[in-house]
Structures are given as structure tokens and as C-alpha cells.
């Protein structure tokens, strides 16, 4: 190798390696290399990998997309797979971790009514951790209250792990609100109810943990 | 733990499908199970009663009666309704079902024996331990390569959960069984019975295997074992987050049961429980 490759031809080679991988391990290694390149050229291929039913490769692809952050979010929103719930769950996870508020409507719809629990779970967690500060100040509170309403509804989901994720989302939401905000008290009441009455021990424990994080002194 | 057969359908039905409970009522389901004309209605009703945890004595009675069914036969000679009835009885928590399920451990149909062993594990009644142990010792090591003579993995798991320390010497040889998921079930049971880390570490090592299905199997066994030291390895395993979360939930449950206040039974969060919660958060 005498000449350094230009970034785009490097991406091209790594994309080709992903497309031509012949074993799960080869795919995983190729996706990791492509993800580490942090090139916008890699975005469509990384999104495609989410549909390959290879959990290891999908984790690497999500990491790659999250590293590209707000550059990847619009492409993911545009290409989200309505037919493959496995791929959709990973895409929602990536959007959740990127946290751009443009994903609000997609996450809200996914948390409330996707048929797949892995999609609802990832969306519920992500709704709590959107980067509200990106929005103009006068828009922040209305969408936060909309999110509170969504997560309150999701606390009634039939699957424990989705309720668990909603609680994680509520804890994160409470953390960005002013402590004196009446919405924080609403969240605390909801969490107390979940801690006392949820039929799954892990969900009760998560609610208790969230309460301790929100008001460390009052829940000793 | 086997992720095939019943376990798999259980995972799938709880994992990714929406079930419309309104399609049947409890009374209708019991009536469907009791009637004799339509076999498929009986089969579905048995599943439904388990899925929706219908603990009514009338439901349990109807399911117990279905354990002797002669009408519903699969092409392979199996008893589909008995299989579903046994699975449902495991979920309903009524120990009146134990003697009938023990009888099922001698059924000609492998899957009935498997479902019965799993149900007996869930019911937590130790009166089945001698029969389960006898199934192990009669057939050790004789695996055909095509399949198993007995549902060894389910039997081993049941013996571990039932704290059958008297079965240790019967379980131990299965650590060397040809079939990986049987070895895992043995490791899980040995850990449950001895609390020795070396057995838990056999399952942690299995998480590094190249076969996804076997990694899933090892994940489920670790979750059931309560081997909390495995938590980080579970979180990093190359498998679906859904399964990792179920495995970590298993460890958390185990931990929380131990952390409960002995007086009030109130939930308390130990540092270990908080570590598990924080790992689970990363997998959402």
C-alpha cells in the first residue's frame, strides 16, 4: 500500500466488505470496521444491517449510527422499516440514543402502538432522554408534557419490560424538569403507584430506584 | 434451558405478538375444553387457560382431565392436548395437578414428558423428585445423536429449581453430555444445588459459543440460576436484548427475593440489585 486511500474510497471498501460477508462473524467484524470509520457514507449500509437478524452486527451498526448522531437521525427517520420489527427495534434504539427531538413523533407512535415489544421498549426509554435543549425554549415544555402523557399511558402496557422502560424514561424526564414543577410530583405519584402495585418485581424495583434518584432524601 | 419447543413459543407469544384475550371468555374456554366434538377448540382452550392464568378450580379440573385424553393424536402418535394441558397446569399454580403430571412423566409422548417436567418445576412440589431422578438414572449417556430419550434438560432444570440435593450424583454425569443444552441444564442445576461458582462459570463460558441458539439457551439458564456474577457477561453476549433482559430480570428477581425485609417483606434495593437495574437500563 503506497497511496493513502481517500475517505470515501475507504468507506466504499468497507461497505463492500459488509455486503460480501459470508459468515456471522465476518459480518460482525466488517460492520465494526465500517462503524468505526464514522463516515456519513456508511449510514445507509449501517441501517441495512439492522435488518440482517444478527444481533452482534446490529449492536455494532447502532453504535456506528449513534456516533454519527444528528447526521444519521434524519436518514433513519426516513428509512425506518415498517415491515421488519427486528430492524425497527434497532432503528428506534439508535434514534433513542441520538436523542434528537425530531424523532418525537416517531418515538411517540412507536411507544404507544407498535405491536413489537422491543420497539415499544426502546421508544419509551428514548422519549425520556430526548435532547430538549435543542428546541426553542417556548417549545420545550409543551412537548415534555406531551411526552409525560405518552409515558404515563405506556406505564399501563401489558409487557413488563415496556413498563420498565417507561419508568426509566420518566426518571430521565423528571431529571430535566425543575424540582418544583408540578409535573415532577405527578411523575413521583405515578412511580409510587407502580412500585406498590406492579405485578412484576423488576418493575417495582425500577420504580423504587427511580423514586430514590428523583428525591434521594424522601425515599430513604 | 431449552429455547426450542414450548419455551420458544412462550417467548414468542410473550415477546412479539399481541394476543386478543377478548376472543374467548373463561367460561367459554372451559366449555370448549370439556366438549368432545371439536379437537382444535379443546387444544386452543387448554393453551388459552394457561396463557391467561385462569386459576379457577373448574379450569384446573378440566385441564387435569385432559391429561388422560385419548382422542387428540398427532401423526407421530403424540398427544397434543395432553401437552397443552400439562403446560397450562404448570402456569396455574394449583398443586392438585401434581399426581397427574407425575403420571405424565411415563407417557409414551416425549413432549408430554417434557411439558410435565417443566410444569412440575413451576409448581414447586418436591413429591416428583424421585420420579424425575429415576428418569435420569435409567438412561444416562444413551443419546441417539438424533434426539434424546428423555427431556433431560427439562428434568435437570426441574431438579435444580426444586432444590433436589439428593439428586446431585444423578445430575453430575450430565455435565459431560453430548448435547450442549443438556450440559447447560446440568450446570444450571449443579449451581442451584451447590452455589459453586465453577458451575455458573460453565454457563458464562457457553455465552462465548459460536451458535446463536446455544448462546440464547445459556442466557436463559443463567437467568434462572441466580448466578449474579454472570450479569456483565450476559449484558455483553451476542444475542437479542430481549433475551438478555429476561436473563437479567431472572438474576434481579433472585436478588430481590433475598433482599426483602424479613419482617415486612418490603422491597429493598441492595447495591447488587441497583447494579443489575443499571445494566438492564443499558439494554432498553
Amino acid at each position: 500500500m503506497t497511496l493513502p486511500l481517500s475517505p470515501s474510497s475507504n468507506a466504499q471498501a468497507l461497505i463492500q466488505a459488509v455486503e460480501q460477508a459470508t459468515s456471522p462473524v465476518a459480518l460482525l467484524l466488517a460492520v465494526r470496521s465500517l462503524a468505526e470509520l464514522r463516515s456519513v457514507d456508511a449510514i445507509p449500509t449501517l441501517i441495512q444491517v439492522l435488518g440482517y437478524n444478527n444481533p452482534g452486527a446490529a449492536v455494532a451498526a447502532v453504535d456506528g449510527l449513534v456516533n454519527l448522531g444528528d447526521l444519521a437521525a434524519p436518514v433513519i427517520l426516513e428509512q425506518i422499516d415498517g415491515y421488519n420489527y427486528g430492524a425497527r427495534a434497532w432503528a428506534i434504539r439508535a434514534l433513542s440514543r441520538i436523542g434528537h427531538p425530531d424523532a418525537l413523533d416517531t418515538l411517540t407512535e412507536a411507544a404507544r402502538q407498535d405491536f413489537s415489544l422491543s420497539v415499544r421498549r426502546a421508544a419509551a426509554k428514548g422519549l425520556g432522554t430526548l435532547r430538549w435543549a435543542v428546541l426553542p425554549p417556548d417549545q420545550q415544555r409543551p412537548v415534555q408534557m406531551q411526552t409525560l402523557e405518552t409515558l404515563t399511558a405506556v406505564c399501563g402496557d401489558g409487557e413488563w419490560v415496556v413498563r420498565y422502560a417507561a419508568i426509566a424514561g420518566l426518571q430521565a424526564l423528571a431529571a430535566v424538569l425543575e424540582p418544583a414543577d408540578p409535573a415532577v410530583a405527578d411523575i413521583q405519584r405515578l412511580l409510587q403507584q407502580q412500585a406498590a402495585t406492579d405485578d412484576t418485581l423488576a418493575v417495582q424495583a425500577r420504580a423504587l430506584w427511580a423514586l430514590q434518584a428523583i428525591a434521594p432524601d424522601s425515599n430513604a | 434451558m431449552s429455547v426450542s419447543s414450548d419455551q420458544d413459543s412462550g417467548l414468542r407469544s410473550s415477546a412479539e405478538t399481541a394476543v386478543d384475550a377478548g376472543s374467548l371468555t373463561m367460561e367459554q374456554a372451559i366449555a370448549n375444553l370439556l366438549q368432545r366434538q371439536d379437537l382444535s377448540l379443546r387444544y386452543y382452550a387448554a393453551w388459552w387457560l394457561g396463557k391467561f392464568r385462569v386459576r379457577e378450580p373448574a379450569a384446573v379440573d378440566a385441564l387435569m382431565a385432559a391429561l388422560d385424553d385419548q382422542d387428540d393424536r398427532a401423526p407421530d402418535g403424540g398427544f397434543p392436548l395432553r401437552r397443552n394441558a400439562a403446560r397450562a397446569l404448570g402456569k396455574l399454580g394449583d398443586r392438585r395437578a401434581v399426581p397427574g403430571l407425575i403420571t405424565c412423566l411415563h407417557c409414551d409422548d416425549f413432549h408430554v414428558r417434557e411439558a410435565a417436567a417443566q410444569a412440575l418445576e413451576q409448581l414447586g412440589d418436591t413429591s416428583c423428585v424421585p420420579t424425575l431422578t429415576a428418569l435420569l438414572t435409567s438412561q444416562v449417556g444413551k443419546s441417539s445423536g438424533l434426539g434424546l430419550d428423555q427431556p433431560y434438560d427439562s428434568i435437570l432444570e426441574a431438579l435444580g429449581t426444586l432444590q433436589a440435593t439428593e439428586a446431585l450424583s444423578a445430575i453430575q454425569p450430565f455435565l459431560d453430555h453430548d448435547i450442549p443444552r443438556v450440559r447447560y441444564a446440568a450446570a444450571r442445576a449443579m449451581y442451584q444445588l451447590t452455589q459453586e461458582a465453577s458451575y455458573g462459570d460453565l454457563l458464562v463460558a457457553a455465552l462465548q459459543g459460536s451458535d446463536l441458539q446455544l448462546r440464547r439457551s445459556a442466557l436463559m439458564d443463567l437467568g434462572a440460576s441466580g448466578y449474579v456474577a454472570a450479569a456483565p457477561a450476559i449484558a455483553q453476549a451476542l444475542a437479542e436484548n430481549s433475551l438478555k433482559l429476561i436473563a437479567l430480570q431472572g438474576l434481579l428477581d433472585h436478588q430481590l427475593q433475598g433482599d426483602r425485609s424479613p419482617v415486612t417483606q418490603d422491597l429493598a434495593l441492595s447495591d447488587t440489585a441497583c447494579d443489575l437495574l443499571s445494566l438492564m437500563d443499558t439494554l432498553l
Side-chain angles (χ1 to χ4, degrees):
Chain A
M1 182 77 58
T2 50
L3 291 171
L5 290 167
S6 74
S8 72
S9 69
N10 198 359
Q12 240 15 77
L14 291 171
I15 288 167
Q16 216 166 40
V18 169
E19 285 167 349
Q20 294 171 355
T22 52
S23 73
V25 175
L27 178 67
L28 171 64
L29 296 177
V31 173
R32 275 188 187 155
S33 304
L34 181 61
E36 279 162 13
L37 193 63
R38 302 189 181 222
S39 157
V40 289
D41 297 337
I43 292 171
T45 307
L46 293 174
I47 293 175
Q48 217 178 337
V49 169
L50 306 180
Y52 287 179
N53 193 24
N54 177 322
V59 167
V62 168
D63 286 344
L65 291 166
V66 171
N67 284 334
L68 289 161
D70 289 351
L71 294 171
V75 192
I76 302 172
L77 282 167
E78 193 184 291
Q79 300 194 359
I80 212 155
D81 192 331
Y83 297 98
N84 177 339
Y85 66 75
R88 206 159 64 244
W90 291 114
I92 294 285
R93 256 175 80 73
L95 287 172
S96 291
R97 283 176 52 194
I98 292 168
H100 195 286
D102 277 357
L104 178 71
D105 290 343
T106 298
L107 294 182
T108 300
E109 194 190 331
R112 279 184 181 269
Q113 53 196 7
D114 201 284
F115 90 95
S116 156
L117 84 83
S118 14
V119 175
R120 300 202 300 281
R121 173 185 85 210
K125 167 79 183 315
L127 279 171
T129 48
L130 290 177
R131 286 178 285 123
W132 308 110
V134 175
L135 294 171
D138 61 321
Q139 284 180 28
Q140 291 176 18
R141 189 172 162 88
V143 292
Q144 285 167 347
M145 292 308 102
Q146 183 199 328
T147 296
L148 173 55
E149 197 185 314
T150 303
L151 291 177
T152 303
V154 176
C155 278
D157 195 283
E159 296 290 346
W160 73 269
V161 78
V162 180
R163 301 194 297 278
Y164 183 106
I167 289 166
L170 285 166
Q171 178 184 332
L173 184 60
V176 299
L177 298 172
E178 292 296 326
D181 192 321
V184 173
D186 290 342
I187 292 174
Q188 284 174 308
R189 267 193 300 277
L190 190 60
L191 293 173
Q192 276 154 4
Q193 187 191 333
Q194 217 75 34
T197 63
D198 200 282
D199 66 10
T200 302
L201 206 51
V203 178
Q204 290 182 18
R206 187 64 186 80
L208 207 56
W209 199 43
L211 283 165
Q212 290 175 0
I214 293 170
D217 302 326
S218 61
N219 288 285
Chain B
M1 182 180 288
S2 160
V3 193
S4 60
S5 67
D6 191 37
Q7 191 61 36
D8 193 30
S9 59
L11 279 174
R12 242 187 282 118
S13 61
S14 74
E16 300 296 356
T17 64
V19 176
D20 180 11
S23 63
L24 213 54
T25 63
M26 180 183 88
E27 291 77 10
Q28 190 64 54
I30 294 171
N32 285 355
L33 182 54
L34 290 171
Q35 57 86 37
R36 302 276 161 165
Q37 280 74 45
D38 186 335
L39 293 178
S40 66
L41 275 184
R42 301 188 77 195
Y43 181 79
Y44 182 79
W47 172 82
W48 192 93
L49 290 168
K51 168 74 187 172
F52 295 104
R53 303 283 197 278
V54 178
R55 298 175 199 275
E56 287 298 306
V60 175
D61 289 338
L63 288 166
M64 283 164 56
L67 291 178
D68 300 324
D69 173 71
Q70 297 286 354
D71 299 334
D72 191 355
R73 302 301 297 265
D76 63 0
F79 294 93
L81 176 61
R82 293 191 197 184
R83 297 173 191 171
N84 267 7
R87 289 170 191 144
L89 286 166
K91 294 176 179 152
L92 300 188
D94 190 330
R95 293 190 181 185
R96 285 187 299 142
V98 168
L101 289 167
I102 290 176
T103 305
C104 285
L105 292 174
H106 300 295
C107 179
D108 291 340
D109 180 354
F110 177 95
H111 295 292
V112 171
R113 300 200 297 279
E114 181 178 54
Q118 291 170 357
L120 287 163
E121 174 184 10
Q122 288 171 294
L123 292 178
D125 186 307
T126 54
S127 63
C128 60
V129 165
T131 313
L132 287 172
T133 311
L135 290 182
L136 286 186
T137 49
S138 61
Q139 301 283 351
V140 170
K142 197 184 140 217
S143 86
S144 60
L146 291 170
L148 296 172
D149 308 305
Q150 296 291 356
Y152 291 123
D153 44 349
S154 300
I155 295 168
L156 293 163
E157 287 163 8
L159 289 169
T161 299
L162 296 171
Q163 286 299 315
T165 42
E166 64 269 44
L168 268 175
S169 60
I171 294 170
Q172 184 129 33
F174 285 86
L175 291 168
D176 300 318
H177 197 276
D178 297 343
I179 295 180
R181 65 187 159 79
V182 175
R183 291 202 296 275
Y184 302 167
R188 170 188 144 177
M190 291 300 290
Y191 180 77
Q192 285 173 307
L193 297 175
T194 65
Q195 299 294 303
E196 278 179 32
S198 60
Y199 297 119
D201 289 337
L202 291 174
L203 292 170
V204 171
L207 292 180
Q208 306 302 318
S210 60
D211 181 315
L212 175 59
Q213 196 63 21
L214 290 177
R215 294 198 297 273
R216 290 171 174 156
S217 200
L219 274 177
M220 294 300 99
D221 280 322
L222 278 168
S225 73
Y227 182 49
V228 76
I234 289 172
Q236 283 158 25
L238 295 177
E240 297 83 345
N241 285 10
S242 296
L243 293 187
K244 296 196 236 179
L245 283 162
I246 292 172
L248 290 173
Q249 184 210 10
L251 297 183
L252 178 65
D253 268 356
H254 201 266
Q255 185 68 32
L256 292 170
Q257 303 289 1
D259 292 345
R260 268 184 197 283
S261 149
V263 185
T264 60
Q265 289 294 296
D266 280 350
L267 207 53
L269 297 180
S270 62
D271 289 348
T272 306
C274 292
D275 290 346
L276 288 167
L277 288 165
S278 121
L279 265 182
M280 288 169 74
D281 271 22
T282 66
L283 297 167
L284 301 169

